[in-house]
Amino acid sequence: MNITHPFLDSDGDKLREECGIFGVIGSPEAAAITALGLHALQHRGQEACGIVSWDGHEFFARRGLGHVAQVFADQTIINELPGHMASGHVRYSTTGGQGLRNVQPLHADLARGGFSIAHNGNISNAMHLKQELVDKGAIFQSTSDTEVIIHLIATSRYPTLLDRFVDALRMVEGAYSLICQTPKRMIACRDPLGIRPLVMGKIGDATVFASETVALDVVGAQFVREIEPGEIVEVRQDGRLSSHRPFGRPSPRPCIFEHVYFSRPDSVSGGQSVYEVRRKIGIELAREAPVEADLVVPVPDSGVPAAIGFAQESGIPFGLGIIRSHYVGRTFIQPSDGARHADVKRKHNANRALVEGKRIVLIDDSIVRGTTSMKIVQMMRDAGAKEVHFRVASPPTNNSCFYGVDTPERHKLLAARMDLQEMTKFIVADSLAFVSIDGLYRAVGENGRNAACPQHCDACFTGDYPTKLTDLADRAAEADQLNLPVGKVA
Amino acid sequence: MNITHPFLDSDGDKLREECGIFGVIGSPEAAAITALGLHALQHRGQEACGIVSWDGHEFFARRGLGHVAQVFADQTIINELPGHMASGHVRYSTTGGQGLRNVQPLHADLARGGFSIAHNGNISNAMHLKQELVDKGAIFQSTSDTEVIIHLIATSRYPTLLDRFVDALRMVEGAYSLICQTPKRMIACRDPLGIRPLVMGKIGDATVFASETVALDVVGAQFVREIEPGEIVEVRQDGRLSSHRPFGRPSPRPCIFEHVYFSRPDSVSGGQSVYEVRRKIGIELAREAPVEADLVVPVPDSGVPAAIGFAQESGIPFGLGIIRSHYVGRTFIQPSDGARHADVKRKHNANRALVEGKRIVLIDDSIVRGTTSMKIVQMMRDAGAKEVHFRVASPPTNNSCFYGVDTPERHKLLAARMDLQEMTKFIVADSLAFVSIDGLYRAVGENGRNAACPQHCDACFTGDYPTKLTDLADRAAEADQLNLPVGKVA
Amino acid sequence: MNITHPFLDSDGDKLREECGIFGVIGSPEAAAITALGLHALQHRGQEACGIVSWDGHEFFARRGLGHVAQVFADQTIINELPGHMASGHVRYSTTGGQGLRNVQPLHADLARGGFSIAHNGNISNAMHLKQELVDKGAIFQSTSDTEVIIHLIATSRYPTLLDRFVDALRMVEGAYSLICQTPKRMIACRDPLGIRPLVMGKIGDATVFASETVALDVVGAQFVREIEPGEIVEVRQDGRLSSHRPFGRPSPRPCIFEHVYFSRPDSVSGGQSVYEVRRKIGIELAREAPVEADLVVPVPDSGVPAAIGFAQESGIPFGLGIIRSHYVGRTFIQPSDGARHADVKRKHNANRALVEGKRIVLIDDSIVRGTTSMKIVQMMRDAGAKEVHFRVASPPTNNSCFYGVDTPERHKLLAARMDLQEMTKFIVADSLAFVSIDGLYRAVGENGRNAACPQHCDACFTGDYPTKLTDLADRAAEADQLNLPVGKVA
Amino acid sequence: MNITHPFLDSDGDKLREECGIFGVIGSPEAAAITALGLHALQHRGQEACGIVSWDGHEFFARRGLGHVAQVFADQTIINELPGHMASGHVRYSTTGGQGLRNVQPLHADLARGGFSIAHNGNISNAMHLKQELVDKGAIFQSTSDTEVIIHLIATSRYPTLLDRFVDALRMVEGAYSLICQTPKRMIACRDPLGIRPLVMGKIGDATVFASETVALDVVGAQFVREIEPGEIVEVRQDGRLSSHRPFGRPSPRPCIFEHVYFSRPDSVSGGQSVYEVRRKIGIELAREAPVEADLVVPVPDSGVPAAIGFAQESGIPFGLGIIRSHYVGRTFIQPSDGARHADVKRKHNANRALVEGKRIVLIDDSIVRGTTSMKIVQMMRDAGAKEVHFRVASPPTNNSCFYGVDTPERHKLLAARMDLQEMTKFIVADSLAFVSIDGLYRAVGENGRNAACPQHCDACFTGDYPTKLTDLADRAAEADQLNLPVGKVA
């Protein structure tokens, strides 16, 4: 089963958020609400999903490959997840042979009882910690970095579970939003920099946690607030809530790419409407890189809000010059001759009647490898466009992410290999422009990037990583000993 | 397996095109091209699909429930459909117990050799003809109206296949676009009024037939022309093409709803861009039913082109006030309390940050039962819209279709039950307007509807059916004898 | 899915009964009883099965590839076959690409209502009749010879169904036991010579028909009598039974191989216990072909009763020198080197401790190609047997069957290619003997074979076919024109 | 998927061996040979199976629910298990919710590399050890007792793997035959008392280990010797073999029930042919409990060898009075009225023609709950038997097994609840007798049971358990505190 991201081209020419998480405590329909919430977060991970529930006596789990609507299709499956507390996870990638073992929430029987964990993010010293744990006799059942946290809790010498949990988190570095369950409570937390998102809501007396506000909307919950960076929120089975801040209050660095692409446009992140931020990026782009043209064409669907903004600011009409098929899904048989770029055409087809003879401004959210951009420019020209100007609603992506986003190796990123002129030539556009980093920060409501203390994690654009990257350093050191080119390590 | 239309709400509040057809002769990759072409026609039928190929010696067939990308996922399956000629079919509905027997193309071994048929449309005297055939000893293997055509051919007393084919078509009434295969040729034809569409293209030396031009685009074929109403086009294995017009040249009546909703916006139908027609309907609507408002919001995705037209003509900004999920697919577990209208929210979520406090113009392509319209208006109000004005890019739908479109029984159509004021109240809108029938005809390039001799089939709006409806009349007569209410017969 | 006969070697070195049939009328649990009855007849056909039921208003059908216990595993499936009348079928072979279309019971909607048919046997002029029907416009949905009967009924000009049924049967030649259903009744019949078996029983007020008495035992029915050759038994929904004899009373010729191998040992056929007949064949063999030896070893499981008889008559001890595995089922991966004859060993393993150093009499029911016999003799020698004497509980099989038994082409039959001495050498036995044809007739209770008017069909041993073989003659004539060797035609 | 033991009645009225193991090192076809070997051991566990292979660089694993011929049906699956070393496991039970996690061989990545383990037997202090390990921070992935051994190895402080392995085994009590793999070697061992079997063979240069000799026969290997009780055999990748005896040489106590029922009759165990032992038990039975009768009838298939022995010793003819169906497999729909005892009849049908009017001696291998025995006696009477005398080829089974055999709780064992007279009445037999414990020992080649130092584990007959039963004692202590009846604990 190989299900591809419906927003994506088959060559994967987008960054990919790797996970979405959801939890609810205090509702008799905990598993059904979790399934619905995960469904609303499906864009954060399409390959696998799972739910773990607690009925007051036992934990119940169901995990599967595929979409939420496939894995949790039947009422009988929901019925097998009884209880008032449940949490769930959608994920992008599961490495081949491992099958279901890496599908979350992970669950373990610890000395004090069961413990489940759903994780969005990436532990950047997971390999390092795992080696230490295995040397002491720990046996890992998955290749997931998340399991490291469970083993750290299991082997912590502190007396209470909360102390053991904090003790474990002190040892990990990187990005993590977590939703955990024990027989007594649900624990939600965000890493000290708040790199990955996590919000809290209420549905009646029940408390809900989710990666994005859209999941609250869909399950009918009221938004309460975001979990703060470094905060641990504990909710007991009786509904009592307590908040802990064991890591002090460092300056937050939430991921700015959530606004650019990952989050759904109908989510609100950091107090900003994602749709509005994208529309404002379009406005910034129109100001920073204006062009004479006849039609503003979004690359569907993620380029639409920025294209609307660009059209409004520039006065150039907005039109659907590319039509997206709703039926992509799987890899597909290609006739070996026949259509040129049939793989792209299956998903995106030029609206020739609209495009023919016009000067086009194409708006896309980002350029990763550049291969799809090139094909889409070509598709516009094949459909008779006179000129094709490419505008990108994010700065050049020229660094890998180590915080839970699937990025190609650095040397495959177009912006890491070429300057603007070379890129323009590569995609065969008449002109190419990216929004500036300050323009992006303005669109999210800042006056610009504060270089001394950036308000967001923007490492994919700037290379400014807000945490240590121990595993990467270890591999670089090892490669150094072996005389391997470091560039291939990332 | 119950796969729903991704454009549709779970209550099926749209008319549904029932079929798409595709064929190619003269290519070594006939089956692969057909699979790709069917994929581009997937919006015309999502429940089942099939391909029949001919390799010079034998016919090969594969049919299945599900999407093209599921049924024809593997290269091995394509390899089992060898040969230079193939045709295929996607369909909306297969009646329950019948399983795969109704999935087309149908195939039969006639006295002169194999014969396959793929049909888009509906034979309106099929029951009548079937009863006659069964009385003479014919044994039907499906409940499909299409099989009637095969039996009529099999029992015709004319000497050549083409004569037998014409003899059979003379006995049927209704709508049909057909792609047939015999060991010697491919035959494509359209009913005398051309109710359902069919186009022809070339890919190298190979000839291609398809329901819409988008399928030509996607497989890399050049558009040649539409099959004319009443035309029978015959293509031999050596590529020679001949055209026959056995039914004279009655005034054509192609279905106007293809422009409103069925066809993809990137198709060209009757020489008109479907996208442009829809945008022009939006312009007509803005002229016929203007309103003071702050934002034009399309009901995604089919309302988008008309909304763009409306915004351009009215000067009111266009914005995505409703966000559509890409992950719908199957029916899904609902928490029994929890979210109000969770079924709609799973697919369409309000973009509250954009909508709140604004006067909204909602644009949708049509209203069928009205249940979804009501929920979407409510969703806008729940998201804080001050006013909600509903504009519909087609006239009131108040008659059933008997030409291959799945319509609810007449008494379930909102416009058949209520006048405009009642409908406005039913969907709880501040105002409601439909484009006029003349406005619709103007958008498709006419000066208005020619009542004496209408240029299109528009029976769903006008009740003016262009053919006899024998089966319906039979059932009405029977119901009359039984004193059944005739209203329930349709 | 390729499920092999568990009694058989992978090279299919047995004759194979092709079908079993079962029907019940007058029970509220008709489908459940039919499933159980088919299960008891599973040895007559392992590849596919089906049940059709009638609930007073509609026919319901379920067919599938696989064993009865797989296809009818769930109560829900039985629930979908409601009504007081049901019939079913198990079959050996379904030709590849045809999939489920050939799985019986076949069902058709005739002018006077639905009609289902389950057939055990083979129509030896089916191709001939089919060509005539197709020439008149009939469209066949399967490649099964059985469908010919349905078309003959559908096109008969007689007024009542029973007349049409008799009219159809007058045109067919060959072997057939049939169980048919119409909305009004169940019809069971046997061809005029009674080549294939069919018995009748009662379970309470319900009437049951089955290929063998074991199915009556298993469903808890009382045996009433055999359907007589050429008899048509009609049972109405109210239980009234009538018997018709439209074909006169020719001398019966029931298949003698049912005793040798096809029927289960716990069935009673023609008034004779199948187990006892096989034991008596062993006694005849011990008398006709005695040998000095230490141990009588059956080839399991079908050789066991004859081996018991041989041991009892000869005084040589009986022992399980070959152990059969219960886990065969599918084809299986073979290491390419590794075990010699691993395919045989997977199913039959020598019991070395018993065999070593002994003179062995091996008893098997028949020899077809001889390949398995050769491997089993070798297995005995590898296990240390001093001498291996082979005794066969049937005469040499040297003709193909055209009455519903799957036989290899004639030139593959060992006894058609070799004399006794050559066969002995081929299987590398110390001696080889077959029971005589008269010995076989004595075991079934006759005084010997009446050559003038044989009491059974024994064509596989004698070449004396009791009916015309029109299709075979047609093919032979055609082959003659083409100068093909006639020997390959069968 | 619920696949039942084909030897068994649906009520599970047999003791069930829980596992079979197989391993091979030094063959390029290691996985294919292992699949074939497991197939020959299928009777030791039908519910799940798995294979782990090592190709010099990596371990590969495949586990599944179902028979070997299902899980390892395809060549592609075997191809995904490359390398010269492989081991496999068949098992009887997998507890429901745990799914595949308990299917062996288990595999873990330890600090020094990968380690896989396949286990036949049961660790009688597993719960006790697991609690200690979890308290120290170990995280278990299965509920299998076998995983305890892996954790003990992982946390052992000895330097070499072999030392760690021995260190771990010193802590466990109970029964275990193990086949383990590391990147350097295969390790096979048997617990100090040799309770469960394990044999060694050679196939060319490759070394093979298996639970029974029949697996050696089927893969074409030569039997070398049994692994001795308490022996650890280590085979390096280059074929070098070393044997270790770290536990001294206590008197062996191999399970005597392997002869009675578990092992295949064509295996040799402890130097004795299993078939011959069973035949001799029949001889002992005929001497100890003679009876006047007309026919000796085995309960198929396990009662056949003893029945042959009984018939030979008594002079009463042997006959198949019960015919076993080969098509059992799954649970099956039962008509609610219809056949009495249809569940038994589906599998065992009386051969009425043979049984009617006769005095019958029924021979079965054992009586567990007695429910099936009762039904079979009734079946003989329903078929017209005049008298039914029941003879059992083992002593009364009145104690549970804690060494890897699935036994009902003690209070469900017929012989634990009733004396001989009561049992006779319960099964409604004319007489009932069991072979004596000394008779059983004589049949396996002893002069009788040595009460001071029994030559076998016979705890199921005598209650004399050869090891401590720590978990049972713990539970009994706990139950004592809770005032639970101890009898229900087992």
Side-chain angles (χ1 to χ4, degrees), chain C residues 5-7 27-29 32-33 35-36 39 42-44 46 67-70 72-76 78 203 214 217-220 264-268 273 275-276 279 301 304-305 308 312 317-321 323-340 342 345-354, chain D residues 5-7 27-29 32-33 35-36 39 42-44 46 67-70 72-76 78 203 214 217-220 264-268 273 275-276 279 301 304-305 308 312 317-321 323-340 342 345-354:
Chain C
H5 191 311
F7 294 101
S27 165
E29 298 192 285
I33 290 171
L36 192 56
H39 182 80
Q42 188 75 80
H43 59 288
R44 297 182 76 86
Q46 291 82 40
H67 285 188
V68 177
Q70 294 166 336
F72 297 98
D74 297 331
Q75 183 65 49
T76 51
I78 297 294
I203 175 169
V214 68
D217 290 353
V218 167
V219 305
R264 256 176 65 160
D266 40 352
S267 280
V268 173
S273 152
Y275 177 89
E276 274 301 293
R279 196 177 65 87
D301 283 349
V304 172
I308 291 172
Q312 287 168 343
F318 169 87
L320 299 187
I323 302 298
R324 191 170 92 74
S325 168
H326 288 79
Y327 308 96
V328 278
R330 294 156 172 260
T331 53
F332 202 82
I333 301 313
Q334 298 294 347
S336 55
D337 61 4
R340 180 161 68 146
K345 283 194 186 168
R346 270 202 315 122
K347 292 163 221 158
H348 293 130
N349 192 42
N351 189 353
R352 168 180 287 273
L354 188 62
Chain D
H5 189 312
F7 292 103
S27 166
E29 297 192 285
I33 291 170
L36 193 54
H39 182 79
Q42 187 76 79
H43 59 289
R44 298 182 74 85
Q46 290 83 38
H67 284 188
V68 177
Q70 295 166 336
F72 297 97
D74 297 332
Q75 184 64 49
T76 52
I78 297 294
I203 175 169
V214 67
D217 290 354
V218 167
V219 304
R264 258 178 61 162
D266 42 351
S267 279
V268 173
S273 154
Y275 176 89
E276 274 301 293
R279 197 178 64 88
D301 284 349
V304 172
I308 291 172
Q312 288 169 341
F318 168 90
L320 299 187
I323 302 298
R324 189 168 93 74
S325 168
H326 288 79
Y327 308 96
V328 277
R330 292 154 173 260
T331 51
F332 201 81
I333 301 312
Q334 297 296 346
S336 56
D337 60 3
R340 184 161 62 147
K345 283 194 186 167
R346 270 201 316 121
K347 291 164 221 159
H348 292 127
N349 191 40
N351 190 351
R352 169 180 287 273
L354 189 60

